[in-house]
C-alpha cells in the first residue's frame, strides 16, 4: 500500500504544531516518540523526523513527498519544491538589524558593511536587488552576538518578538521577508500520492477554517432581523427560529474571528441579546 511520506522537524519550534495539525486531522501516529519514522494506522501516511534545514532537499529528492517547514528555509535552500499550503504558525520576519546607537536613514547604510547571517542566499538576493555592496559573513548560530564581539557591523536574522535584538543592543531596520510554516510538496508526486495529499489538504483546510470562525447564537428583535442577518450571513445564510416570546427570534450563524468584535458591537446596537459564541471543531465549506 502507498503511504504519503511527510517530513516534519524532529525537535524545534515547528515540531509540536506540525504534529498537532495531523492529530486534529484525525491522523493517529504509532510510535509517537519520534525516533526516525512513525506510521499511521488510520490514514496512509508515514512521518519522517528531520532537521528543518534538510527538509527542502529531502522533498526535492522524493525521499519525502511533502514537508512542514518555515518559508524562510524553503527560500534559502532554493530547491524545486512547491509551496502547497500556508499553515499560519511560526510567523517571523527575516530582518536586518544594527547596533541601536547607529544612525540609520536607508539601506544605503549597508554599503561597505559586514553582515553576519545564517541565510546568505536570501540576504545576497536582497543586496543585489538593492545594489548594495556589502560583505556577507556566514555563521551558523548566535548571529545576534556578532556585532557585540566585533565580528560584523550588522546582522540578518529571524526576528519574532524582537526581544533577542533588544537584549543584544540591536535594532531592526529592514524587514526583508515575512515567513510562516508552510507545506511543501515534491515536484514528482504520482497519482496515488496526489490523491492522499488532496485528502490530507481537505482535512487541514477544515481544521484551519474552524479556527478562523466561531459559531454564534443570539436572540434578536424581529424588527431588526434583516439588518442583523446582513451582518452575520454565515456559510449560506443564518438559521432563524422563533422564540416563545412574541416579536423575538433566535439566530444561529458563523462569524469570522477577525471580524468578531466589530460585528458584536453592531448587532448589540441593533438589540441582539443573549449572545453565545462557541468554538467550531471542524468546518467543511
Ligand atoms: O534543529 P533544527 O535545525 O531542526 O532547528 P533550528 O534550530 O534550525 O530551527 P528552530 O526550531 O529554532 O526554528 C524553526 C523555524 O521556526 C524557523 O526556520 C522559522 O521559520 C520559525 N521561527 C519563528 C523562528 C522564530 N520564530 C524565532 N524567533 N525561528 C527562530 N527564532 C529565533 C530567532 O533567530 C531569535 O534568535 O528565536 C530567537 C528569538 O526570537 P525573538 O525575536 O522572539 O527574540
Ligand atoms: Zn535548522
Amino acid at each position: 500500500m502507498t503511504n504519503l511520506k511527510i517530513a516534519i522537524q524532529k525537535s524545534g519550534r515547528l515540531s509540536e504544531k506540525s504534529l498537532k495539525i495531523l492529530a486534529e486531522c484525525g491522523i493517529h501516529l504509532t510510535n509517537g516518540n519520534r525516533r526516525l519514522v512513525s506510521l499511521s494506522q488510520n490514514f496512509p501516511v508515514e512521518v519522517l523526523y528531520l532537521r528543518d534545514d534538510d527538509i527542502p532537499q529531502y522533498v526535492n529528492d522524493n525521499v519525502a513527498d511533502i514537508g512542514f517547514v518555515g518559508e524562510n528555509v524553503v527560500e534559502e535552500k532554493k530547491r524545486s519544491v512547491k509551496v502547497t499550503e500556508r499553515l499560519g504558525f511560526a510567523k517571523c520576519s527575516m530582518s536586518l538589524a544594527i547596533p541601536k546607537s547607529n544612525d540609520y536613514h536607508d539601506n544605503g547604510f549597508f554599503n561597505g558593511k559586514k553582515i553576519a547571517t545564517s541565510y546568505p542566499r536570501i540576504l545576497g538576493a536582497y543586496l543585489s536587488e538593492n545594489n548594495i555592496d556589502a560583505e556577507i559573513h556566514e555563521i551558523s548560530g548566535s548571529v545576534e552576538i556578532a556585532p557585540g564581539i566585533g565580528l560584523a557591523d550588522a546582522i540578518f536574522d529571524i526576528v519574532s518578538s524582537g526581544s533577542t535584538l533588544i537584549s543584544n543592543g540591536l535594532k531592526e531596520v529592514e524587514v526583508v521577508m515575512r515567513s510562516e510554516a508552510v507545506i511543501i510538496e515534491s515536484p514528482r508526486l504520482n497519482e496515488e500520492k496526489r490523491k492522499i495529499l488532496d485528502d490530507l489538504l481537505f482535512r487541514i483546510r477544515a481544521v484551519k477554517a474552524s479556527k478562523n470562525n466561531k459559531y454564534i447564537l443570539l436572540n434578536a428583535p424581529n424588527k431588526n432581523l434583516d439588518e442583523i442577518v446582513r451582518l452575520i450571513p454565515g456559510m449560506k445564510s443564518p438559521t432563524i427560529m422563533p422564540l416563545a416570546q412574541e416579536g423575538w427570534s433566535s439566530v444561529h450563524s458563523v462569524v469570522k474571528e477577525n471580524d468578531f468584535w466589530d460585528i458584536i458591537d453592531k448587532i448589540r446596537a441593533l438589540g441582539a441579546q443573549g449572545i453565545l459564541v462557541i468554538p467550531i471543531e471542524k468546518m467543511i465549506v
Side-chain angles (χ1 to χ4, degrees), residues 4-204:
L4 186 78
K5 292 188 201 138
I6 307 177
I8 282 181
Q9 188 188 27
K10 187 175 169 68
S11 83
R13 285 165 203 270
L14 305 172
S15 313
E16 298 307 324
K17 288 200 171 138
S18 304
L19 288 170
K20 185 161 170 255
I21 289 184
L22 295 182
E24 285 169 338
C25 289
I27 298 172
H28 302 303
L29 298 172
T30 55
N31 156 24
N33 57 0
R34 294 187 225 161
R35 262 172 231 147
L36 191 59
V37 183
S38 304
L39 294 169
S40 172
Q41 235 92 67
N42 66 353
F43 197 77
V45 293
E46 58 190 76
V47 172
L48 316 179
Y49 300 99
L50 302 168
R51 284 202 56 201
D52 69 342
D53 315 70
D54 297 333
I55 291 177
Q57 179 75 52
Y58 277 77
V59 172
N60 180 80
D61 296 349
N62 266 96
V63 177
D65 300 305
I66 66 168
F68 288 50
V69 67
E71 262 176 315
N72 53 320
V73 173
V74 180
E75 191 63 29
E76 181 64 25
K77 302 293 173 186
K78 272 282 176 257
R79 298 293 188 272
S80 51
V81 295
K82 181 176 140 207
V83 173
T84 313
E85 185 77 11
R86 309 174 70 77
L87 295 170
F89 65 87
K91 288 191 175 170
C92 56
S93 311
M94 299 290 307
S95 300
L96 282 156
I98 62 172
K100 69 171 188 294
S101 54
N102 287 176
D103 279 343
Y104 186 84
H105 302 291
D106 57 43
N107 60 13
F109 172 91
F110 294 102
N111 273 307
K113 297 285 199 305
K114 193 166 170 184
I115 309 171
T117 188
S118 313
Y119 293 84
R121 190 191 284 262
I122 299 174
L123 176 58
Y126 172 82
L127 295 176
S128 66
E129 268 164 34
N130 288 275
N131 293 318
I132 298 167
D133 183 17
E135 185 188 336
I136 298 176
H137 186 74
E138 186 177 349
I139 50 179
S140 58
S142 304
V143 171
E144 64 281 356
I145 66 168
I149 58 170
L151 200 64
D153 305 302
I155 66 164
F156 174 63
D157 200 9
I158 296 171
V159 178
S160 133
S161 67
S163 55
T164 301
L165 294 185
I166 292 171
S167 57
N168 285 280
L170 301 170
K171 60 181 177 191
E172 183 181 37
V173 290
E174 299 288 342
V175 174
V176 171
M177 79 173 271
R178 295 195 192 277
S179 171
E180 65 185 81
V182 293
I183 296 182
I184 52 170
E185 68 178 70
S186 154
R188 292 173 298 277
L189 288 185
N190 65 29
E191 214 170 298
E192 232 175 327
K193 294 199 171 184
R194 155 91 18 225
K195 167 80 178 67
I196 302 170
L197 176 56
D198 287 344
D199 289 350
L200 177 65
L201 288 173
F202 176 79
R203 293 187 186 197
I204 288 176

